[in-house]
Amino acid sequence: MFKVVQLRAFYCSRNILRRQIEHRRFSYTAPALATTSAEAVNSLLATRSAPGASHDDKIIRDIFDSHSFWKEFSQRRLLPPRDQKTGLFQNSYLSKPEGFQRFAERTLQRAQRIVTKTLEASTVDDYKFIIKDLDRLSDLVCRVIDLSDFVRATHPDPKYQEAATQAYGTMLQYMNVLNTTTGLNDQLKKAVSMPNVVASWTEEEKVVAQMLLRDFSKSAVDLDQASKQKFVALSDEVAHYGSNFVDKMAPEKPWIGLSHRQLKGMDPLQVRKLPTRNTNVLMPTMGLTALLGLRTIEDEDTRRELYMANRTASNEQLHRLEELLRSRAELARIGGFTSYAEMWLGDKMARSPESVANFLQALIQDNEPRLQKELSQLKQLKLYHAGFAGKMEEASNLNAWDVDFYRNMHLSHLPSKSRKPDFLSAYFSLGTVMQGLSRLFSRLYGIRFVPHETLPGETWNDDVRRIDVIDETEGHVAVLYCDLFERAGKNPNPAHFTVRCSRRISEAEIEEAASEANPFTCAEAGANDGMAAARNSAGELYQLPTIALICDFTREMSNRPTLLSFRHVQTLFHEMGHAVHSILGRTALQNVAGTRCATDFAELPSVLLENFASDPYVLSLFARHIETDAPLPYEMVKDRMRSDESFEGIETESQILLAMVDQAYHSSLAPLKDGFDTSQIFHSILNRHGSIPEPWGTTWQGFFGHLYGYGATYYSYLFDRAIAGKVWRDVFQRTPEGAVSPEAGHLFKDKVLKWGGGRDPWQCIAGVLGDPSLANGDAKAMETVGRWGVGGS
């Protein structure tokens, strides 16, 4: 019933109980729009300003662009005294590290009361409330685990990290108890079997009921005691081997010795920074330096040697992968499934490995013309380069170690500005981008950002900004904590964490809190642990989505604004796409709130929002030169997009091949057999389906960290890209106002965002696109999505 995700922030991650989700950025898909002036765009924009909106709009920019302004702003409220800590996220238990254990213990007391109530249910009225009760039980567990997992990964104080880890472990142990409590499953099944009970449930409750039944089934609750114990042990093994697989990646050869002659073409300044041994330079086989070598070293034999070392993992790492896959296959076997993919995909949009294969095959066909055109360009460059160097005999084939080199050569022929990754940054101060996001969301969804000072102890670092999200009709609907600046020891990967989900708080919970001894000022605060809550227009009390956004942008020490590269702008839009899903998916039950949805649906809002980052209408809302205040010339953006999309077909094929490898590893019980060989499968797929042969001897699967967090669902990256591209073209690019159309925003909100995970994603997609044929989500629908492709519009 209850599952824990492993948070692995490669490019983005979210804290979603019961789901294992990771994120990766993709090459961006540019809209095919003509240059549009700021004046022309502004004349089309609808104005929806609340009292004080103009002031808040200016403050949003100031608090991110001026550290001194933020310091003054955040200290303007002097109550409580600055030396009296209120607790992380205003949770009074968490004003000190030892408060985590008190928080966990109090939560366990509440949770156990719900378990007792559920097991004792006997009347029709008792069973009518069972979904709300089980959802609240899940929410209580999430409250501690989500927050503790975030704090132990982010807080700079080791004492807080340790305390959060202990609370996390306490709740994990309790979760194992819940997972093996057969009575909870029995009571849920009994409730579902009673027509008069089911008839009293909302559609949301019915969805959650089916979700909980599936989760109980996948948790081996119906098995005998010995099988249950084996299932729990195997789940622990998956977590152990998976964590080690991600954390302990290592190449077989960390260094290779190369002569200065072999390094010809590489930046001499970079070469001088490398260590030496005797007369050789020691080239690292992993990281940015190795990538730079593959892009610039002229000697093909040297590139081949570096390529082989760069893509060959250690034997220990391959053993971890094989044990991870073995444990998963055994889990599936015990659960009565033919494969881990069959077990894991049942509640996803794909539903089966066969449907994933249909999607990937259709995508291959769509990508083929673009791919062949790009490969032809690289082959022509190799012929040109070989002829210039007098080595025509080496130009007969395009090899795997040639791709990065000739792609880099192609980019070097672009206009000089387009080659520079930061040539647009003067138009993108962090404050103006945050201001632009607020303006965009106001037009699309009727929500805006309002800066809010932080209380002492509310955040884990003084650089963290708090933003309240205000809806034009519902009022306060969410809280964003923005930790966007680099600092020593901070994880550099951008991430979105939902620390607390939306959920309606019942009057009974408020009465319960009033009867308890707790550190909060009122019963309503006590019912939500002091964290943000508000009543909606109907007078119902909701715990508000509380979200932490993590980035690693440079912090200018001279109080000058931080300027973002265009890639950083896309990153921030991506993370805000997850946030807006959490904000607008305000459901009454937390199991389906916001980003708590199918894995292969969760990336849609974030990937879609990336498209807005290069739209002329959107850019006209905020992109102005930091010194001259001149609007951004859109031709500069189009140049950048052309550069980014130069080899999108090759990138797409690479992602397709990785998705196929993931499916091959998880779509049978082969990992249980002697002689199972991940390398043989890896090479078989790449050389059977890829355009460029992979040299035998590489073991890149050992670096494929997403096999842990995205096991059997790596296709989701491409899948959501295809859907996002279709929604972008058909919804946000078909109206005169383009990407700032309130009508388009309302449609996407009404058909997709507001449901969170509370409606079948296929129905959401069918609704927003106006295509009922997609609603069933069968294999044909998966194939249709593949035919949409992921290339430029």
Side-chain angles (χ1 to χ4, degrees):
M1 175 181 174
F2 303 100
K3 303 251 176 78
V4 179
V5 299
Q6 302 297 324
L7 291 177
R8 300 294 171 195
F10 289 88
Y11 288 82
C12 159
S13 66
R14 296 185 311 292
N15 195 358
I16 305 176
L17 201 67
R18 304 173 44 257
R19 298 291 186 265
Q20 293 188 12
I21 300 181
E22 292 168 346
H23 312 281
R24 184 184 187 280
R25 294 188 49 76
F26 293 91
S27 299
Y28 177 77
T29 303
L33 293 177
T35 302
T36 307
S37 70
E39 292 76 17
V41 174
N42 288 331
S43 69
L44 293 172
L45 299 179
T47 300
R48 298 196 291 187
S49 297
S54 242
H55 175 71
D56 295 332
D57 183 73
K58 181 181 184 305
I59 299 297
I60 280 288
R61 177 174 177 172
D62 290 342
I63 66 168
F64 286 99
D65 277 352
S66 171
H67 298 291
S68 61
F69 183 91
W70 165 247
K71 183 177 181 181
E72 180 181 348
F73 176 87
S74 64
Q75 295 181 2
R76 66 180 183 175
R77 186 163 65 177
L78 299 180
L79 294 175
R82 299 304 294 180
D83 59 352
Q84 179 181 331
K85 291 186 176 181
T86 186
L88 289 168
F89 302 105
Q90 295 194 9
N91 183 327
S92 295
Y93 289 116
L94 308 182
S95 60
K96 297 178 181 178
E98 51 267 29
F100 274 91
Q101 198 59 35
R102 290 181 56 214
F103 179 37
E105 290 169 356
R106 175 55 57 88
T107 300
L108 287 172
Q109 293 170 5
R110 289 177 170 177
Q112 196 54 44
R113 286 197 291 266
I114 296 174
V115 171
T116 300
K117 177 186 175 184
T118 302
L119 294 177
E120 294 176 352
S122 59
T123 69
V124 170
D125 286 340
D126 289 340
Y127 285 111
K128 286 181 179 179
F129 281 95
I130 199 168
I131 299 303
K132 291 187 178 74
D133 289 338
L134 290 177
D135 183 76
R136 188 189 173 206
L137 178 60
S138 178
D139 179 62
L140 288 170
V141 174
C142 288
R143 287 184 180 191
V144 179
I145 287 184
D146 289 356
L147 194 154
S148 297
D149 209 13
F150 170 76
V151 170
R152 68 182 189 150
T154 308
H155 204 290
D157 187 338
K159 292 181 180 179
Y160 271 92
Q161 294 174 15
E162 181 180 356
T165 299
Q166 291 176 354
Y168 180 85
T170 298
M171 296 309 295
L172 279 183
Q173 291 177 359
Y174 183 66
M175 186 178 294
N176 286 332
V177 173
L178 294 178
N179 285 336
T180 55
T181 304
T182 306
L184 293 175
N185 183 45
D186 293 341
Q187 290 288 67
L188 175 61
K189 286 182 175 179
K190 187 171 182 179
V192 171
S193 71
M194 301 169 70
N196 51 344
V197 169
V198 176
S200 72
W201 290 344
T202 64
E203 289 303 310
E204 201 172 286
E205 287 174 293
K206 293 174 184 177
V207 169
V208 170
Q210 294 303 313
M211 181 183 296
L212 294 177
L213 285 172
R214 287 194 301 267
D215 287 343
F216 267 126
S217 176
K218 288 195 293 186
S219 296
V221 73
D222 291 324
L223 300 179
D224 59 73
Q225 191 60 33
S227 296
K228 285 182 185 178
Q229 292 175 351
K230 178 66 172 176
F231 192 93
V232 171
L234 285 168
S235 298
D236 290 341
E237 285 184 16
V238 168
H240 170 73
Y241 287 118
S243 297
N244 285 340
F245 178 68
V246 172
D247 294 337
K248 297 182 179 181
M249 288 183 186
E252 186 67 18
K253 296 180 181 179
W255 307 86
I256 56 174
L258 299 173
S259 67
H260 284 276
R261 179 187 59 79
Q262 289 176 292
L263 292 171
K264 181 182 178 183
M266 192 171 173
D267 184 351
L269 293 177
Q270 293 294 327
V271 174
R272 290 193 195 105
K273 295 178 182 178
L274 298 176
T276 58
R277 179 179 296 165
N278 299 323
T279 60
N280 281 340
V281 174
L282 295 181
M283 166 69 79
T285 60
M286 298 291 291
L288 293 177
T289 303
L291 180 59
L292 180 63
L294 289 169
R295 289 176 176 175
T296 59
I297 291 173
E298 295 180 6
D299 182 65
E300 184 170 344
D301 290 338
T302 303
R303 290 201 309 273
R304 184 185 190 282
E305 182 181 357
L306 180 56
Y307 180 90
M308 295 293 294
N310 176 257
R311 291 175 66 87
T312 304
S314 67
N315 290 329
E316 294 81 4
Q317 180 69 351
L318 297 180
H319 174 72
R320 295 181 194 108
L321 174 59
E322 288 163 2
E323 288 300 308
L324 170 63
L325 297 176
R326 180 197 59 77
S327 298
R328 281 178 169 166
E330 183 66 11
L331 271 179
R333 189 192 66 78
I334 289 176
F337 296 93
T338 61
S339 69
Y340 180 80
E342 182 191 33
M343 180 179 79
W344 199 245
L345 293 175
D347 58 354
K348 310 300 185 291
M349 291 183 73
R351 300 178 184 169
S352 72
E354 293 75 21
S355 290
V356 175
N358 287 345
F359 163 70
L360 293 175
Q361 287 301 321
L363 192 58
I364 287 172
Q365 294 176 20
D366 174 83
N367 189 56
E368 187 66 17
R370 187 182 307 109
L371 172 66
Q372 292 305 321
K373 180 180 178 180
E374 293 169 6
L375 291 174
S376 177
Q377 288 179 321
L378 295 185
K379 289 176 182 177
Q380 289 298 318
L381 277 174
K382 185 171 184 179
L383 284 169
Y384 170 81
H385 182 251
F388 183 78
K391 298 180 179 181
M392 289 297 294
E393 69 279 1
E394 297 180 3
S396 56
N397 295 306
L398 188 66
N399 298 306
W401 50 87
D402 292 328
V403 175
D404 284 338
F405 180 76
Y406 289 108
R407 284 173 63 176
N408 187 65
M409 182 180 291
H410 170 83
L411 293 175
S412 70
H413 294 160
L414 295 175
S416 59
K417 278 191 174 181
S418 300
R419 298 201 305 266
K420 297 178 181 178
D422 59 348
F423 76 98
L424 293 171
S425 62
Y427 295 88
F428 296 129
S429 76
L430 176 57
T432 60
V433 176
M434 292 296 293
Q435 185 183 58
L437 283 162
S438 180
R439 291 173 178 177
L440 174 63
F441 293 157
S442 176
R443 286 160 172 80
L444 293 179
Y445 308 126
I447 59 174
R448 61 189 176 91
F449 295 165
V450 176
H452 194 291
E453 66 273 19
T454 55
L455 298 174
E458 182 178 353
T459 65
W460 51 100
N461 187 275
D462 290 340
D463 262 349
V464 178
R465 274 68 161 162
R466 171 175 167 168
I467 302 294
D468 286 353
V469 183
I470 307 300
D471 184 276
E472 60 186 11
T473 57
E474 294 293 324
H476 190 193
V477 294
V479 177
L480 291 175
Y481 289 93
C482 300
D483 184 0
L484 304 182
F485 297 104
E486 65 181 359
R487 62 177 176 271
K490 181 181 178 182
N491 190 317
N493 296 303
H496 160 280
F497 296 86
T498 301
V499 178
R500 182 153 299 185
C501 285
S502 168
R503 190 182 69 89
R504 187 165 61 221
I505 298 174
S506 69
E507 294 301 317
E509 293 171 55
I510 299 172
E511 293 172 5
E512 178 189 61
S515 68
E516 297 174 338
N518 60 56
F520 304 105
T521 56
C522 65
E524 288 192 357
N528 196 37
D529 307 318
M531 294 175 65
R535 293 191 179 272
N536 63 11
S537 57
E540 300 164 322
L541 183 64
Y542 271 71
Q543 59 190 46
L544 300 187
T546 300
I547 300 154
L549 289 183
I550 310 295
C551 289
D552 196 47
F553 302 142
T554 300
R555 189 188 193 281
E556 299 292 343
M557 302 307 295
S558 60
N559 205 38
R560 288 178 56 82
T562 290
L563 301 182
L564 304 184
S565 68
F566 188 64
R567 182 56 56 87
H568 284 154
V569 174
Q570 292 174 307
T571 296
L572 192 52
F573 270 67
H574 180 99
E575 302 306 333
M576 276 296 181
H578 293 309
V580 81
H581 199 186
S582 295
I583 293 165
L584 296 178
R586 295 184 68 220
T587 55
L589 301 177
Q590 72 88 32
N591 265 287
V592 291
T595 53
R596 294 189 192 275
C597 58
T599 305
D600 47 8
F601 187 59
E603 286 293 324
L604 172 60
S606 56
V607 175
L608 176 65
L609 199 64
E610 287 187 50
N611 289 276
F612 289 79
S614 61
D615 181 85
Y617 288 86
V618 175
L619 291 171
S620 72
L621 296 176
F622 66 94
R624 307 186 78 84
H625 197 279
I626 189 66
E627 295 178 355
T628 67
D629 203 40
L632 171 63
Y634 191 63
E635 285 297 331
M636 295 173 64
V637 179
K638 291 204 293 186
D639 286 346
R640 173 57 192 263
M641 298 312 300
R642 280 193 291 266
S643 171
D644 286 352
E645 295 171 3
S646 296
F647 295 99
E648 198 170 39
I650 291 175
E651 289 292 340
T652 298
E653 184 189 54
S654 174
Q655 292 301 307
I656 291 171
L657 294 173
L658 292 180
M660 295 175 79
V661 169
D662 172 47
Q663 288 297 302
Y665 286 163
H666 291 102
S667 292
S668 74
L669 297 180
L672 299 179
K673 298 178 180 178
D674 292 338
F676 175 70
D677 188 345
T678 60
S679 295
Q680 189 277 328
I681 294 172
F682 174 76
H683 281 272
S684 174
I685 288 174
L686 264 64
N687 290 321
R688 188 188 323 145
H689 300 284
S691 301
I692 301 174
E694 177 75 3
W696 181 254
T698 61
T699 54
W700 189 86
Q701 73 272 19
F703 302 121
F704 191 5
H706 290 68
L707 286 172
Y708 177 36
Y710 253 102
T713 56
Y714 190 77
Y715 70 91
S716 301
Y717 299 133
L718 292 165
F719 186 68
D720 282 344
R721 255 183 89 194
I723 297 175
K726 180 70 170 175
V727 172
W728 174 249
R729 294 187 298 269
D730 289 8
V731 176
F732 289 100
Q733 292 291 280
R734 68 180 178 184
T735 66
E737 297 180 26
V740 293
S741 163
E743 291 75 19
H746 177 77
L747 178 65
F748 189 63
K749 175 183 176 181
D750 187 58
K751 299 297 184 181
V752 178
L753 293 174
K754 79 172 187 180
W755 296 98
R759 171 179 277 188
D760 185 329
W762 284 109
Q763 294 183 22
C764 293
I765 299 306
V768 75
L769 294 176
D771 186 353
S773 69
L774 298 170
N776 290 331
D778 52 17
K780 184 178 179 181
M782 288 289 293
E783 185 178 339
T784 296
V785 174
R787 288 199 300 268
W788 292 343
V790 297
S793 57

